[in-house]
Amino acid sequence: MQRIHSQEDFQEAQRFIPGGVNSPVRAFKSVGGTPVFIKEGKGAYLYDVDGNRYVDYVQSWGPLIFGHRDETIENAVIDAVKHGLSFGAPTEAETELAKDVVELFESIEKIRFVSSGTEAVMSAIRLARGFTGRDDIVKFEGCYHGHSDSLLVSAGSGAATFGTPSSPGVPADFTKHTLLAKYNDIESVKKCFADSDNIACVIIEPIAGNMGLVPAEKEFLKELRELCDANGALLIFDEVMSGFRATLRGAETITGVTPDIVTLGKVIGGGMPVGAFGGRAEIMNMLSPEGPVYQAGTLSGNPVAMAAGNAAISKLKQNSRVIDVLEKRAQRLMEGMSEAASKHGIPCQTTVRGSMFGFFFNENPVKNFDDAAKSDAELFAKFHTAMLEEGYYFACSLYETGFISTAITDQIIEDTIAAFEKVFGVLSGK
Ligand code: HOZ
């Protein structure tokens, strides 16, 4: 497969954009080669600037649950654009989307829209601090909650991919209130509460998607809830990635644990830049202008983004079985991968939650970031390169999650499994 134009574009981009990309994980650094420059997407496929076609298992890192250029979402956006790009004033579309989310998530009575997941989480933390009057927060190793200062500690996603667990430019004073615990290890959380009586909140991805796909165990979450209650701390579920992906009504419905605040993004914007955070009214009412906790944004609740979000969420509501159908396909994909890997003597652990899937080239099950980091990164890089050559676009980091969209048919899944067979055969030398 020729990717000459992508290579030229990357050279040119690097002259003007640090690393040639506007988000580090896109740079292909951990898998080698140069990033593919995309010209367009349609349905299940991405087309690059050299005219190559790829089945897209990244789906813009999650948002595109109906695939590229879904007609309903596209038309909603075009219609919104014709009425104006931004008003900086309230619109009915914001209430419409708010109503839908409140109806779907039992834990959310009120919600506020922002422009990114990072912004949603940063604001949720401020709200939790304002509500409790406390400063400390607990986060888990390998969980990624965007790149705001106090959360860039042992973060997953790009930060883990490039081995920069925290970043220069983040003053130690800003992170001294961030306590670290180990995912799926309640004793490590108990230690945090023993060390501090100033904990405002515990933030967790209940279905972690930024250290690869690693769901939290139900019992662990239950104990986490109890610990928060016993210590007067809030529990925040970061569902920027898993929201409307793992299930329609939030991780709370599959874990049986109710959070105090939920953060959302990705699917909720249908492909446009949107984030949101919501929770009980007594907490949300602390937000300005109702309460004293300040938070604002010129493009918050942007009418075009709201139109895309409304179209995506109403489509999901109308077809409530969509996530089950996608889950079956994801299961088949991962089953096929496991079989192909084991046939060729490659250790492989797989996980599925709704339309999210994850795999590690690892002898042992992965329960936390330390386990994930023991995966075979070199093999992952070779796998990624070989699958790309076969026309399959997977996330370019072992610490990311894969996504199925409705455009990815059963046949595409079977073809992908055949490609796994071929690639594992080559990689194992059999
Ligand atoms: N933080 C995103 C993945 N979990 C990466 C976003 C991007 O590079 O587009």
Side-chain angles (χ1 to χ4, degrees):
M1 198 180 267
Q2 293 280 327
R3 275 192 288 273
I4 294 166
H5 287 111
S6 272
Q7 283 155 13
E8 288 168 356
D9 283 355
F10 189 46
Q11 290 292 329
E12 181 77 346
Q14 285 175 96
R15 292 179 54 214
F16 304 103
I17 301 171
V21 289
N22 283 306
S23 185
V25 82
R26 300 177 192 176
F28 271 42
K29 267 198 158 173
S30 68
V31 290
T34 49
V36 180
F37 274 61
I38 305 301
K39 188 161 185 204
E40 62 181 324
K42 180 75 192 138
Y45 300 102
L46 282 175
Y47 298 85
D48 71 12
V49 287
D50 289 277
N52 302 307
R53 187 183 87 164
Y54 310 86
V55 174
D56 183 11
Y57 284 111
V58 179
Q59 299 293 325
S60 186
W61 307 94
L64 308 180
I65 195 161
F66 296 107
H68 294 274
R69 296 196 57 196
D70 172 78
E71 229 180 281
T72 314
I73 299 174
E74 190 168 283
N75 288 337
V77 168
I78 293 169
D79 189 53
V81 165
K82 287 183 180 158
H83 289 88
L85 294 179
S86 180
F87 309 120
T91 62
E92 289 173 359
E94 293 159 74
T95 314
E96 199 185 314
L97 189 53
K99 257 189 198 166
D100 271 350
V101 180
V102 166
E103 196 183 299
L104 289 168
F105 278 62
E106 218 180 294
S107 62
I108 301 183
E109 290 174 349
K110 284 193 173 179
I111 187 165
R112 179 160 282 180
F113 296 110
V114 291
S115 299
S116 72
T118 291
E119 207 186 333
V121 176
M122 184 186 82
S123 310
I125 297 280
R126 184 180 303 144
L127 178 59
R129 284 175 163 151
F131 183 78
T132 57
R134 298 176 178 180
D135 293 335
D136 293 346
I137 62 172
V138 177
K139 87 169 277 287
F140 293 89
E141 288 164 2
C143 281
Y144 179 70
H145 305 291
H147 61 93
S148 67
D149 286 344
S150 62
L151 291 161
L152 215 49
V153 182
S154 278
S157 188
T161 308
F162 302 120
T164 46
S166 24
S167 167
V170 178
D173 271 0
F174 288 19
T175 54
K176 74 178 182 204
H177 292 293
T178 306
L179 282 66
L180 264 187
K182 201 175 203 147
Y183 202 72
N184 278 324
D185 177 351
I186 202 68
E187 291 309 316
S188 69
V189 188
K190 284 184 186 160
K191 182 164 182 324
C192 293
F193 278 107
D195 289 348
S196 168
D197 55 6
N198 194 25
I199 295 176
C201 63
V202 175
I203 181 161
I204 187 166
E205 292 180 79
I207 299 163
N210 287 290
M211 52 172 140
L213 181 61
V214 185
E217 287 157 2
K218 276 189 190 171
E219 189 52 32
F220 168 71
L221 285 178
K222 192 174 149 266
E223 288 185 71
L224 197 57
R225 177 72 273 181
E226 286 164 6
L227 268 180
C228 286
D229 290 344
N231 291 280
L234 299 185
L235 178 60
I236 304 180
F237 274 6
D238 182 348
E239 292 224 64
V240 166
M241 198 179 242
S242 58
F244 302 100
R245 271 286 176 186
T247 166
L248 186 62
R249 294 170 183 275
E252 57 205 73
T253 55
I254 48 177
T255 62
V257 172
T258 308
D260 299 298
I261 301 177
V262 181
T263 58
L264 294 164
K266 304 211 188 243
V267 173
I268 205 179
M272 296 292 291
V274 176
F277 59 108
R280 289 201 308 280
E282 60 160 336
I283 302 173
M284 294 304 289
N285 287 343
M286 287 290 287
L287 277 179
S288 183
E290 198 133 349
V293 177
Y294 195 70
Q295 184 279 327
T298 299
L299 292 168
S300 292
N302 172 269
V304 185
M306 291 293 105
N310 272 320
I313 301 303
S314 22
K315 197 163 165 166
L316 269 177
K317 273 177 72 187
Q318 280 155 25
N319 306 279
S320 55
R321 287 205 50 253
V322 162
I323 295 175
D324 297 339
V325 172
L326 294 182
E327 180 159 61
K328 286 208 176 71
R329 287 187 200 155
Q331 267 158 357
R332 171 67 192 130
L333 184 73
M334 288 297 94
E335 215 175 77
M337 177 180 241
S338 292
E339 279 165 21
S342 108
K343 189 167 148 195
H344 294 285
I346 293 174
C348 183
Q349 309 289 332
T350 62
T351 313
V352 168
R353 283 294 181 280
S355 59
M356 305 165 79
F357 66 86
F359 56 91
F360 295 101
F361 297 127
N362 197 316
E363 300 276 357
N364 302 303
V366 173
K367 288 183 159 196
N368 55 43
F369 183 67
D370 287 346
D371 296 341
K374 287 183 190 128
S375 305
D376 189 336
E378 211 175 301
L379 182 60
F380 176 83
K382 288 182 184 155
F383 166 83
H384 183 271
T385 306
M387 288 303 291
L388 200 62
E389 279 301 298
E390 295 296 318
Y392 296 91
Y393 189 84
F394 282 89
C396 51
S397 160
L398 75 86
Y399 296 114
E400 296 289 349
T401 291
F403 297 95
I404 304 275
S405 75
T406 52
I408 294 181
T409 60
D410 291 330
Q411 187 55 54
I412 295 177
I413 300 277
E414 294 309 317
D415 294 345
T416 312
I417 294 171
F420 288 154
E421 269 279 344
K422 183 175 163 193
V423 163
F424 287 145
V426 173
L427 294 181
S428 67
K430 284 183 215 157

